[in-house]
């Protein structure tokens, strides 16, 4: 098993004129293949020893991976205990593809990483945070969607098992997000949708703005099913 690159002491103090300058010393080396990794895929370790300590070690190693763009940590049992590590992942603007689906992230953790998304540069392209407990919280969905409005490059969003209910929030946050950024692919598997939400989603499909929509196992009534079938007849290629 390959080890993550080790860090030298975090910083040292250099005197420059009358000012003290603090610099961070790294071990980054473009000739080291570990430092040139572009993708990390470590899903499905929830029952195989994945822990906060393991995630912390991974986060420290990532600091030296200047080329890293994609990370998959789905189904690893990540919970509120890992809040600091999760927030560091979202604060890393080099990561443009993040998969944290099928974990145990609750409302408090969702609001914490939402603040990091809001602060980071507009670099996020692909995000899957579906099948997490926070999706049942309207406050958490509002916080996440509000933060994502700044991510103008976002093309895919997985935020399934959520409740799309405009009656609770004045308007459905997920479909409102579609109006503000050009998401091309949306995963809403196992969600609860309202009539208005389905109408808004179908409008995005008909216009060609939304090219891929996954509504498997989503709770819908007959009138919603008719609306979806009509949209498919109008846009058979989608």
């Amino acid at each position: 098993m390959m080890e993550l690159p080790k860090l030298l002491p975090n910083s040292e103090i250099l005197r420059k004129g009358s000012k003290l300058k603090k610099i961070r010393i790294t071990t980054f080396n473009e000739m080291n293949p570990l430092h040139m990794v572009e993708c990390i895929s470590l899903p499905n370790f929830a029952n195989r020893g994945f822990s906060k300590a393991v995630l912390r070690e991974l986060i420290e190693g990532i600091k030296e991976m200047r080329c890293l763009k994609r990370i998959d940590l789905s189904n690893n049992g990540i919970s509120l205990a890992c809040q600091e590590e999760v927030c560091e992942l979202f604060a890393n603007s080099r990561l443009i593809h993040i998969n944290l689906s099928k974990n145990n992230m609750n409302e408090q953790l969702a609001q914490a990483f939402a603040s990091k998304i809001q602060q980071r540069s507009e670099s996020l392209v692909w995000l899957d945070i579906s099948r997490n407990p926070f999706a049942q919280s309207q406050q958490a969905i509002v916080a996440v969607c509000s933060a994502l409005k700044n991510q103008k490059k976002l093309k895919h969003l997985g935020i399934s098992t959520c409740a799309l209910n405009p009656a609770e929030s004045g308007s459905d946050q997920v479909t409102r997000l579609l109006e503000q950024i050009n998401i091309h692919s949306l995963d809403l598997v196992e969600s609860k949708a309202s009539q208005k939400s389905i109408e808004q989603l179908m409008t995005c499909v008909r216009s060609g703005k939304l090219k891929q929509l996954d509504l498997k196992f989503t709770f819908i009534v007959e009138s919603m099913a008719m609306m979806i079938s009509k949209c498919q007849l109008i846009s058979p290629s989608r």
Side-chain angles (χ1 to χ4, degrees):
M1 177 176 163
M2 294 191 299
E3 295 184 358
L4 294 171
K6 304 297 183 182
L7 291 176
L8 289 174
N10 287 335
S11 61
E12 68 176 17
I13 303 297
L14 297 179
R15 185 172 296 278
K16 185 177 181 182
S18 59
K19 296 181 179 179
L20 291 178
K21 182 181 179 182
K22 189 175 183 180
I23 63 169
R24 186 172 183 274
I25 302 176
T26 76
T27 60
F28 177 73
N29 181 356
E30 63 182 13
M31 301 304 292
N32 185 337
L34 290 177
H35 291 189
M36 303 304 289
V37 170
E38 295 184 10
C39 176
I40 291 178
S41 183
L42 294 171
N44 305 317
F45 282 89
N47 299 313
R48 292 191 284 170
F50 195 92
S51 64
K52 175 181 173 65
V54 170
L55 184 55
R56 168 46 57 188
E57 185 176 355
L58 177 62
I59 294 295
E60 292 301 321
I62 285 174
K63 292 176 182 178
E64 300 305 322
M65 298 178 185
R66 310 284 178 85
C67 299
L68 185 66
K69 297 183 183 301
R70 303 160 60 97
I71 189 162
D72 181 356
L73 296 177
S74 57
N75 194 27
N76 283 329
I78 295 172
S79 64
L80 182 60
C82 302
Q83 177 173 318
E84 182 181 354
E85 289 75 21
V86 170
C87 286
E88 285 188 43
L89 275 179
F90 279 103
N92 187 340
S93 60
R94 292 196 300 269
L95 290 174
I96 63 173
H97 185 294
I98 299 175
N99 187 348
L100 287 174
S101 63
K102 303 176 186 176
N103 281 296
N104 295 320
M105 300 191 294
N106 64 9
E107 179 183 343
Q108 183 177 339
L109 179 50
Q111 292 183 340
F113 72 67
S115 67
K116 295 300 180 182
I117 293 175
Q118 199 159 25
Q119 295 167 15
R120 65 177 279 161
S121 61
E122 299 178 5
S123 59
L124 198 58
V125 174
W126 197 100
L127 176 63
D128 192 345
I129 46 177
S130 60
R131 296 172 178 83
N132 276 285
F134 77 80
Q136 299 302 314
S137 164
Q138 193 68 26
Q139 290 76 15
I141 294 295
V142 169
V144 172
C145 289
S146 296
L148 288 173
K149 291 174 186 176
N150 297 326
Q151 298 302 316
K152 305 299 184 183
K153 296 179 181 179
L154 188 66
K155 299 303 178 187
H156 171 83
L157 175 62
I159 193 167
S160 60
T161 62
C162 65
L164 305 180
N165 188 355
E168 293 182 11
S169 62
S171 62
D172 169 32
Q173 295 296 316
V174 176
T175 49
R176 278 188 69 191
L177 183 63
L178 292 175
E179 299 171 0
Q180 298 173 341
I181 59 177
N182 292 319
I183 294 176
H184 293 168
S185 172
L186 183 63
D187 175 3
L188 291 172
V189 174
E190 298 177 358
S191 296
K192 297 178 182 178
S194 69
Q195 182 87 13
K196 184 177 179 181
S197 298
I198 293 296
E199 288 176 2
Q200 292 172 324
L201 288 171
M202 292 306 104
T203 298
C204 291
V205 172
R206 282 193 296 269
S207 68
K209 184 174 184 179
L210 192 58
K211 295 176 172 56
Q212 184 174 345
L213 175 63
D214 196 341
L215 292 172
K216 285 197 299 287
F217 309 117
T218 297
F219 179 78
I220 57 176
V221 296
E222 184 179 355
S223 59
M224 298 180 195
M226 290 293 292
M227 197 182 306
I228 293 170
S229 65
K230 287 179 181 178
C231 186
Q232 289 177 330
L233 289 172
I234 294 170
S235 307
S237 63
R238 298 188 183 96

